[in-house]
Amino acid sequence: MGASYGSFCPVAKAMELLDERWTMLVIRELFSGSRRFNELRRGLPRMSPSLLSRRLQQLAAAGLVARQEFGSEVEYELTTAGRELEPIVVALGVWGTRWIPELGDRDLDPKLLLWDMHRMVDHSAVPPRRTVLWFRFPAAARQVRHWWLVITPDEADVCDFDPGHDIDVTVTADLRCLTDVWRGERTWASALRAGEVAFEGPEQLRRALPGWFKPFTFAGIPKPETPILS
């Protein structure tokens, strides 16, 4: 737990636990469906494993997270107290979308983008077989330039190496543009018209691809005329 504010105020007492770096993002990941340590790491790629382990221990000690062992596997789950933070996490996301819309270069991460997209695959809309999307970001650093999204009827996975399957659609994109599309700041159609995103593959699949994803959690939130950071 963080340093004490020396106050009886319940906001102060809550923030003694919650305002340490990465803590609320760990909680957000648990709300988003991550259960295992490696899943949490993939959703928080810039958080060190040692710090993630420490935060999970702190949250468990505070009664917000339960650690469960299944043989050699360990899973983490929010407790009743942890789940009560959901409206706070959502409210923070809504506020950030409305008032801090601009992204710096450091905020653009293809690994995090694809991880978020894979969680929002609409399996009822994707062909009922294995479907493979190859995402290419030509302007990104070499080590994060290529990603594969492998979708089956029951699950989706992100690979940073060629899984060896036939490619159904290749998506070549400017990272900032595709991030804006995902966040709902731009439409797939406008990005395709501008040539900042391009699909390669059978026409039927190319036309259907945007509908294979459910909307980003915070897409469509109305913006004020003058954000505080623009």
Side-chain angles (χ1 to χ4, degrees):
M1 185 173 292
S4 172
Y5 285 104
S7 171
F8 64 83
C9 172
V11 174
K13 300 308 296 179
M15 294 309 291
E16 287 175 5
L17 172 64
L18 299 175
D19 74 350
E20 288 195 275
R21 185 170 173 81
W22 294 104
T23 296
M24 290 299 287
L25 295 183
V26 172
I27 293 171
R28 180 210 67 190
E29 275 302 300
L30 291 166
F31 277 126
S32 299
S34 295
R35 290 291 178 268
R36 298 180 179 178
F37 191 86
N38 285 339
E39 292 174 340
L40 291 162
R41 283 278 296 128
R42 295 179 76 180
L44 301 164
R46 297 183 183 179
M47 186 180 189
S48 72
S50 60
L51 181 55
L52 174 57
S53 179
R54 189 158 66 249
R55 289 290 181 268
L56 288 169
Q57 291 172 8
Q58 291 170 333
L59 290 170
L64 273 64
V65 170
R67 184 181 187 272
Q68 299 178 321
E69 296 185 11
F70 300 92
S72 60
E73 299 289 342
V74 176
E75 293 189 0
Y76 299 90
E77 185 176 0
L78 290 165
T79 63
T80 300
R83 289 194 297 273
E84 285 192 9
L85 290 169
E86 183 170 12
I88 297 173
V89 173
V90 172
L92 284 170
V94 170
W95 187 89
T97 300
R98 281 178 52 77
W99 293 102
I100 313 177
E102 294 297 323
L103 299 178
D105 290 341
R106 283 180 49 82
D107 301 321
L108 304 176
D109 187 331
K111 183 176 185 177
L112 188 55
L113 173 62
L114 267 296
W115 183 249
D116 204 49
M117 291 178 71
H118 105 282
R119 290 194 290 218
M120 301 302 288
V121 170
D122 184 350
H123 291 275
S124 67
V126 182
R129 56 174 175 79
R130 183 175 61 211
T131 303
V132 182
L133 306 180
W134 177 20
F135 287 82
R136 300 175 60 250
F137 301 100
R142 183 178 298 277
Q143 65 270 23
V144 294
R145 194 171 294 171
H146 300 280
W147 297 87
W148 289 261
L149 182 57
V150 181
I151 306 170
T152 62
D154 299 319
E155 60 183 4
D157 196 16
V158 181
C159 302
D160 59 359
F161 58 88
D162 187 346
H165 306 307
D166 291 338
I167 304 299
D168 291 285
V169 181
T170 299
V171 180
T172 303
D174 172 78
L175 178 56
R176 180 176 290 277
C177 177
L178 187 58
T179 302
D180 285 344
V181 170
W182 183 240
R183 282 164 48 94
E185 306 293 337
R186 297 183 60 177
T187 65
W188 286 98
S190 70
L192 289 163
R193 284 195 302 269
E196 294 174 85
V197 173
F199 297 158
E200 182 180 345
E203 181 179 1
Q204 181 179 3
L205 298 182
R206 287 188 281 113
R207 289 182 177 275
L209 187 151
W212 292 349
F213 298 93
K214 300 172 187 177
F216 174 62
T217 303
F218 299 106
I221 293 172
K223 310 293 194 302
E225 292 186 5
T226 308
I228 57 174
L229 294 178
S230 59

